[in-house]
Amino acid sequence: AKVRLSTKASYDGGVGVALRGNKAFVACPGRLSVVDIDQQAVVGTTDIETGMSSDGNVGIAMYGDVAVVAGCSKVVLVDTHSMRVVGTLKFDSGASYDGGVGVAVDSDRGWAVVVGSSMLHVIDLQNMTVRKRAKINTGTSFDGGVGVALREGVAYIAGCGKLLAFDTDSLQPMGKVKISTGTSCDGSASIAIHGDIIAAAGCQGVTLIDIPTMSALGITEVDTSTSFDGGVAVAVYDKTLYVAGSSKFTKIPLPHSA
C-alpha cells in the first residue's frame, strides 16, 4: 500500500519516521505529517521550522504523544493531538543545513539526546533547555548524518567508521568500536538495538556490536542500491534486522543471544 505525502523534502533530502500505536509520524525539514496505518491515509500535517534545508535530514522520536523533531539548529515539540508546536529550542547540532541529525528520547527522565556530526546535546524536554552538551568526533562531515539510540542511560552513536558510547548523565565516553558500513563521511549511518546487540548500518554493510563487551561481532555486506553519500533506514522485529535502501530491502537474522 502507498500513501501520497507532501513532505517538502527534496529528491536529495530525507525523512524521519516514528511510530506510536497505529500512527506513523513522518518528519522532514519543514513539515510533520501523520499517517493512519489502518486507514492508509494522511490524517494531519503541520509546518515546522528546524533550520534544515530541503536537502537535509531531521531526526524524530516520540515522547508520549509529543513528537520531538530535531534539525541542525532547532528542536521542535509537536502535540500530535492538536498538531500544534508546543515547544522550540535553538541550539547548534554540529550539522550543516544539508546534513543530518539523530535524536532519541529517554521517556523516564524526560530527556532527548540530539546528535549532529560533531556535537552531542542532552535536552530537558520539560523545560526545553540544554542540560549538557559535548563536542564529539563521529568521523562524519558537517553534511553527513549519524544514528543514535539509547539503552540504560547510555547513548550509542553510529558515525563514519566508528560507533561511540556516552553516559547521558555525565557525557563521559563509555567506549568506541570500529565499524564498517560502506557509507562515506558525507553519508548517514543508522542504528538499531535489540537485546545486547547493536546493529550499525550503511549503504553497503552492517556491523553487529556486542554491548557488554563493546566489541564487533561481525560485518555483513548488503546491497541497498544507496549511494555512498546516502543513508538507509533500519528496524528490528522478531530477531531480524530490516535494512531499507533507495530501492532494495534486506533482512538479516540477528544472533540468538540477542
Side-chain angles (χ1 to χ4, degrees):
K2 293 191 294 185
V3 178
R4 183 173 293 276
L5 291 172
S6 176
T7 64
K8 290 191 173 183
S10 75
Y11 291 107
D12 294 329
V15 298
V17 180
L19 300 176
R20 183 169 174 80
N22 68 335
K23 301 290 195 305
F25 301 90
V26 184
C28 73
R31 178 169 292 167
L32 176 68
S33 301
V34 184
V35 177
D36 187 297
I37 297 172
D38 296 328
Q39 298 178 20
Q40 298 178 16
V42 177
V43 294
T45 62
T46 189
D47 289 344
I48 55 177
E49 174 55 52
T50 61
M52 307 290 281
S53 76
S54 59
D55 291 340
N57 197 348
V58 298
I60 181 173
M62 299 303 296
Y63 177 47
D65 292 323
V66 174
V68 182
V69 184
C72 65
S73 61
K74 289 183 181 179
V75 175
V76 180
L77 304 186
V78 179
D79 184 300
T80 56
H81 292 296
S82 65
M83 291 303 290
R84 293 184 177 181
V85 174
V86 294
T88 302
L89 175 67
K90 291 184 178 182
F91 77 122
D92 178 12
S93 69
S96 75
Y97 298 125
D98 297 333
V101 178
V103 60
V105 168
D106 185 332
S107 295
D108 292 336
R109 290 176 165 179
W111 297 352
V113 175
V114 183
V115 187
S117 62
S118 61
M119 292 295 295
L120 164 62
H121 288 77
V122 178
I123 295 171
D124 186 324
L125 296 174
Q126 297 293 326
N127 303 316
M128 283 303 281
T129 56
V130 175
R131 185 178 180 277
K132 285 183 178 292
R133 65 180 179 178
K135 189 172 181 63
I136 61 175
N137 181 8
T138 65
T140 306
S141 76
F142 294 112
D143 291 335
V146 299
V148 58
L150 291 175
R151 182 179 184 269
E152 297 178 355
V154 177
Y156 298 93
I157 301 163
C160 180
K162 65 180 76 173
L163 180 131
L164 309 173
F166 292 89
D167 182 283
T168 56
D169 192 35
S170 65
L171 294 192
Q172 290 298 309
M174 301 290 288
K176 178 172 68 174
V177 180
K178 183 179 180 180
I179 61 175
S180 179
T181 64
T183 301
S184 77
C185 294
D186 290 333
S188 183
S190 296
I191 187 172
I193 295 180
H194 183 62
D196 287 336
I197 302 295
I198 297 171
C203 65
Q204 289 188 338
V206 175
T207 302
L208 300 182
I209 298 113
D210 179 67
I211 292 177
T213 61
M214 280 298 288
S215 60
L217 298 174
I219 299 169
T220 301
E221 293 186 359
V222 294
D223 178 10
T224 64
S225 295
T226 304
S227 74
F228 296 108
D229 295 338
V232 298
V234 296
V236 175
Y237 177 73
D238 194 23
K239 294 187 178 181
T240 300
L241 179 73
Y242 296 87
V243 184
S246 61
S247 64
K248 290 187 178 181
F249 186 76
T250 304
K251 297 191 296 183
I252 300 174
L254 293 174
H256 292 298
S257 61

